Amino acid sequence: MPQRHVVQMSTSHASYSICVLGAEVFLDTRRCTPRGAISFDVHATSAVTIHIIHSPMTKPMINSRWPLDPDIEIVVIIDVASKTINDNKVKISYYGQEDNELSVAWLYLTCVEISLDVDLNRNGRVKSRGKEKDTWTWGPNGQGAVLLVNCDRDSLGMGGPDSGQVDIRTTADLQDMSIMLLRTQGPSSIFAEYQVVLHIPESDADKVRVFHAIGSDSHPHYKPVLGPDKLSYVLDHVGSGENIFYVEGLAFPDVGFSGLVSCSASLLDIPHQNLPGTPIFTDTVVFRVAPWIMMPNTQPPMEVFVCSIQRGPGSNEVFLEGLKVLLRKANCKLTICSEVETRSDRWIQDELEFGYVEAPHKTFPVVFDSPRNRGLKDFAFKKILGPDFGYITREPPRKEITSLDSFGNLDVSPPVTVQGKEYPLGRILIGSSLPW
């Protein structure tokens, strides 16, 4: 439920408040209604839109004033950011039985823009001030940003995938992340009195990391601000402009994780130092982490990996020569894994499965390393993981490894329709030791 911003009105002194572009401000007039008042009217400067929320039975009076019905609510909305402080005014006048004005309540509003924006339409561009950013829907007409797990290794010499690093070592790493923009507009002095905070839910902290681009375009610095060890980040020196953030996924959709993660920006009113702030406005965006997608063997081959076994009666030299001829005809790259690299383990299909991840801004292959862990145990990690080539592995929940955990027992069909339902990416097939 969105935060309800309520401003207390008074007839004894003017009220002052901040509001956010396009957000509702509810005016609490209960305590300031003068004795003997039976009606009121509301007027405001041109940028302010006034809404009177009332029951169907309540109607305005002949003179266009409203009766003091306890169920009536006054809501104001401003659609233009303020150029100066307190440049929007709201006046509520109260009238008595004799149609005389008994008292007046004044409200001065400063309107700021705060918008957290992502690639909502999945077209590779960050849309400004989108609607319903806190929802994610499937399909070509759906909306919601896509996040990649940063599981390749763009920084050569690093131990594992880039997602395991808490900093950015190369700008190539940014291409694997999704851009998020925080747009703010309004008088700079007003932001000095309030806090703008970026935050994520605790449940998402181990699944996403956010970097803040700080500094000039020629000398940028990417500061890790949200992630497994930090749930909130207070922005310094907020003014009119854009703050650029890069968001990376840390975990694939899996059992217990649907793939949805959220990030929010809140405007907080800080009454006193060392006291928690009161949220005035919160803008939330939702990402879906792109799944690992398995490729059917009906796709045209790009590269074939094969083990070379030269020693002993199981030598496959004849097979390799025939494979070379075939792949030259197919114009396909051949990678022969030496017997030293594979530790004489020839069953590479049992150890590896190839797939990919895809977002509107980036696609790259990802090798899935099985838990069989025999001679080829470290091959994918050491020889395939690299720039724009990701790596993922899983261990079974039980400790023992069986032949069913080998990826010869894992396959995917071509695109297929089953009982009228389309599976455009095919259906994954995995065997079981049970008869069903």
Side-chain angles (χ1 to χ4, degrees):
M1 184 175 180
Q3 184 72 31
R4 185 178 169 109
H5 183 197
V6 181
V7 174
Q8 177 66 52
M9 301 293 292
S10 175
T11 55
S12 60
H13 57 81
S15 300
Y16 299 85
S17 187
I18 189 174
C19 67
V20 175
L21 193 74
E24 295 180 332
V25 179
F26 292 81
L27 307 187
D28 185 351
T29 62
R30 304 282 192 281
R31 304 179 201 173
C32 69
T33 303
R35 183 174 299 176
I38 63 170
S39 64
F40 72 94
D41 61 19
V42 187
H43 298 280
T45 46
S46 59
V48 182
T49 301
I50 302 169
H51 297 282
I52 306 295
I53 301 176
H54 58 90
S55 70
M57 304 300 296
T58 303
K59 304 294 183 183
M61 302 166 70
I62 297 176
N63 53 13
S64 298
R65 295 171 188 157
W66 288 90
L68 281 170
D69 190 315
D71 294 329
I72 285 181
E73 286 192 300
I74 305 171
V75 180
V76 297
I77 300 174
I78 303 178
D79 289 321
V80 179
S82 294
K83 290 185 169 45
T84 59
I85 293 178
N86 301 327
D87 59 353
N88 300 285
K89 302 175 185 177
V90 180
K91 176 187 176 183
I92 302 178
S93 300
Y94 294 94
Y95 300 90
Q97 191 71 41
E98 303 298 326
D99 209 27
N100 57 318
E101 187 179 76
L102 298 179
S103 59
V104 174
W106 284 96
L107 171 63
Y108 293 84
L109 284 170
T110 304
C111 182
V112 299
E113 178 183 7
I114 296 179
S115 182
L116 194 60
D117 297 314
V118 293
D119 181 10
L120 193 65
N121 294 331
R122 303 198 278 268
N123 58 9
R125 297 189 299 272
V126 177
K127 182 179 180 180
S128 177
R129 297 176 64 188
K131 303 295 185 182
E132 298 180 349
K133 294 179 284 187
D134 58 349
T135 60
W136 204 99
T137 52
W138 293 98
N141 298 317
Q143 72 165 26
V146 178
L147 198 60
L148 295 176
V149 174
N150 192 12
C151 61
D152 67 345
R153 184 167 58 194
D154 291 311
S155 302
L156 298 178
M158 301 306 297
D162 292 331
S163 59
Q165 310 300 321
V166 295
D167 56 0
I168 295 175
R169 306 290 180 89
T170 171
T171 54
D173 208 14
L174 300 176
Q175 303 302 315
D176 303 332
M177 303 182 190
S178 296
I179 293 179
M180 180 171 66
L181 298 180
L182 177 62
R183 294 183 169 102
T184 54
Q185 186 178 354
S188 297
S189 56
I190 198 71
F191 284 111
E193 303 175 20
Y194 297 84
Q195 278 186 349
V196 178
V197 181
L198 205 67
H199 51 100
I200 55 175
E202 186 175 2
S203 59
D204 294 348
D206 60 341
K207 301 173 179 67
V208 67
R209 185 180 287 120
V210 179
F211 295 89
H212 187 191
I214 302 173
S216 63
D217 293 339
S218 57
H219 294 89
H221 168 63
Y222 303 99
K223 178 182 178 182
V225 295
L226 296 175
D229 57 347
K230 189 159 180 143
L231 300 180
S232 63
Y233 171 59
V234 179
L235 278 82
D236 296 326
H237 312 299
V238 177
S240 294
E242 289 182 347
N243 281 271
I244 303 175
F245 297 90
Y246 291 89
V247 187
E248 69 171 343
L250 303 179
F252 279 97
D254 208 332
V255 175
F257 175 42
S258 68
L260 293 176
V261 295
S262 64
C263 186
S264 303
S266 292
L267 178 67
L268 302 184
D269 183 8
I270 309 297
H272 302 286
Q273 288 186 343
N274 302 322
L275 290 177
T278 302
I280 294 175
F281 172 81
T282 297
D283 201 17
T284 299
V285 295
V286 171
F287 295 90
R288 183 177 288 278
V289 180
W292 179 78
I293 301 174
M294 190 174 171
M295 293 181 291
N297 57 20
T298 53
Q299 292 292 312
M302 298 176 62
E303 183 174 3
V304 171
F305 291 80
V306 63
C307 295
S308 172
I309 305 296
Q310 297 179 341
R311 293 176 295 181
S315 171
N316 64 350
E317 289 187 68
V318 175
F319 166 73
L320 292 180
E321 290 302 317
L323 186 60
K324 291 176 184 177
V325 173
L326 179 64
L327 293 185
R328 277 196 295 269
K329 292 181 181 179
N331 194 27
C332 177
K333 180 181 177 181
L334 174 63
T335 296
I336 298 178
C337 314
S338 72
E339 204 162 355
V340 174
E341 293 173 323
T342 64
R343 294 190 290 178
S344 300
D345 182 2
R346 70 175 66 215
W347 306 110
I348 193 167
Q349 185 183 7
D350 281 340
E351 187 68 34
L352 310 177
E353 193 69 61
F354 289 102
Y356 65 98
V357 291
E358 182 177 15
H361 63 282
K362 183 71 178 284
T363 301
F364 60 85
V366 177
V367 60
F368 193 174
D369 188 1
S370 88
R372 73 187 277 271
N373 294 341
R374 290 167 58 182
L376 283 157
K377 173 182 177 181
D378 300 320
F379 177 78
F381 187 84
K382 291 182 176 179
K383 299 296 183 179
I384 299 180
L385 170 63
D388 288 340
F389 212 123
Y391 171 90
I392 182 178
T393 188
R394 285 291 184 272
E395 295 295 332
R398 59 192 185 280
K399 291 184 179 180
E400 69 274 10
I401 304 295
T402 72
S403 62
L404 291 176
D405 296 309
S406 298
F407 281 176
N409 189 42
L410 177 68
D411 216 327
V412 64
S413 76
V416 65
T417 299
V418 179
Q419 296 180 351
K421 183 175 181 179
E422 294 184 358
Y423 296 88
L425 298 176
R427 301 191 77 179
I428 286 180
L429 310 172
I430 185 167
S432 169
S433 58
L434 300 175
W436 53 82

